[in-house]
Amino acid sequence: MGAQCSFAVSVCRHFHERPSSLNELSIKLVEIRKVETHERIFLLLKLVLTLPVAMESVERVFSGMTQLGFGLSVERADNRRYTAVCAVESYDWRIHASRLFDNVSWAIKVINGSHRTCGRLEENPMVTSEWLSKHMLGEIEANPEIPVETLRRYAQEKFQLRVKKRLLYKVRSMAKEKLHGGWAEAYELLPRYAEMIKQTNPGSYALITWGASSGDVNPKFRACFFSFAAQVRGILRGCRPIIRIDGDHLSGFYKAILLTAVGIDGNNEIFVLAYGLVDTESCDSWTYFMRCLRQMFEQEGCNRDDWTFISDRKKGVELAVRETFPRATRRVCCQHLYMNCKNNGFSGSAFHKLFWIASNAYNIVFGKAMVKITEYNANDTAYLNSCIKQ
């Protein structure tokens, strides 16, 4: 008890002059935290809570407690009362605080039990994603794609904390949002991005589509389409009339489908033509994308509609191509077709070899490869022929 009183006297000396700002309070807290014992940190908390800047300082005190290995389990917390117990169930330590009549300061009314021998907590319930994102902000800012395992080692080495991987994924996302803004803010910038493309790249095609559901006041993002002038002119002047279209699922906070159109240049390299975002991969979304392609070509004075499109076997693509480019030829992507064959039970090393020989052939070799596939398994050939008819 005497040690606690002497420590209380030293704390009161530090706070003899009431801190005028939170920074000044933080400096004093750092000096006091040099004495790291269980009872003293909570006696410090008891004194700090009576200050006018208590609501802001409590977070810093709790942060210090977390780094020292103390753990609290909150039983009740509202704007009038705060009750917590030791995170170790076998210890009967308990703290209860309430707001004073000035509605600013708080006072700890009860501290029961001993809190000396519960040990340091490596898995601390006080450690939240918000706390971790705040203290790991510098590491994530230096490397936004820092591996979760690296963050895990960082928490272990610096704070002596064991943190689950799934929590660190959330921590990394929260830190990125603090640094660069959230997904909603990024989508709000799309109209400005489209206008800037048109201003800085004359001849480019940029379209943002908005819509409102029944009862909604503010319009919501529906779809977008982007293609730069150099991409359009490049495919018209230096690429073959073959366009590969496909859709990929995005894994961000707002789920969407990324639709892309690419060509093949003179070096047999991929030449990006256009891309867009839609909510689902359906006949309507593909029709939207193909209409934008048609308007983009017409903007450059190209009215041809006998392009060759390569895609997967989804029916929505077929309908969209026929409606927008009536004379276009559609071909099936061999990689998608091979995966369809595997899903239907047609696989094996021999079939794999013969399939890709037939896919890469453009002369009599194709017929020979198909004959060998028929000899290997006639059902394989029947399935491939049914895909060609579709």
Side-chain angles (χ1 to χ4, degrees), residues 192-220:
R192 293 178 56 189
Y193 175 65
E195 294 302 320
M196 187 170 293
I197 288 177
K198 295 175 183 178
Q199 293 176 7
T200 57
N201 293 270
S204 299
Y205 191 90
L207 177 65
I208 308 294
T209 304
W210 301 86
S213 304
S214 59
D216 292 338
V217 178
N218 297 323
K220 295 183 179 180

Side-chain angles (χ1 to χ4, degrees), residues 256-286:
I257 307 295
L258 175 66
L259 301 182
T260 56
V262 299
I264 303 175
D265 61 15
N267 296 322
N268 285 331
E269 301 289 344
I270 293 177
F271 188 89
V272 179
L273 172 60
Y275 62 92
L277 291 177
V278 294
D279 52 355
T280 58
E281 191 174 2
S282 62
C283 181
D284 292 337
S285 60
W286 273 115

Side-chain angles (χ1 to χ4, degrees), residues 302-326:
C302 177
N303 295 315
R304 67 179 300 173
D305 58 358
D306 57 345
W307 296 87
T308 297
F309 290 96
I310 302 176
S311 68
D312 53 22
R313 297 172 55 212
K314 290 187 177 180
K315 294 182 179 179
V317 179
E318 176 72 20
L319 297 174
V321 171
R322 287 183 180 179
E323 179 181 338
T324 314
F325 297 92

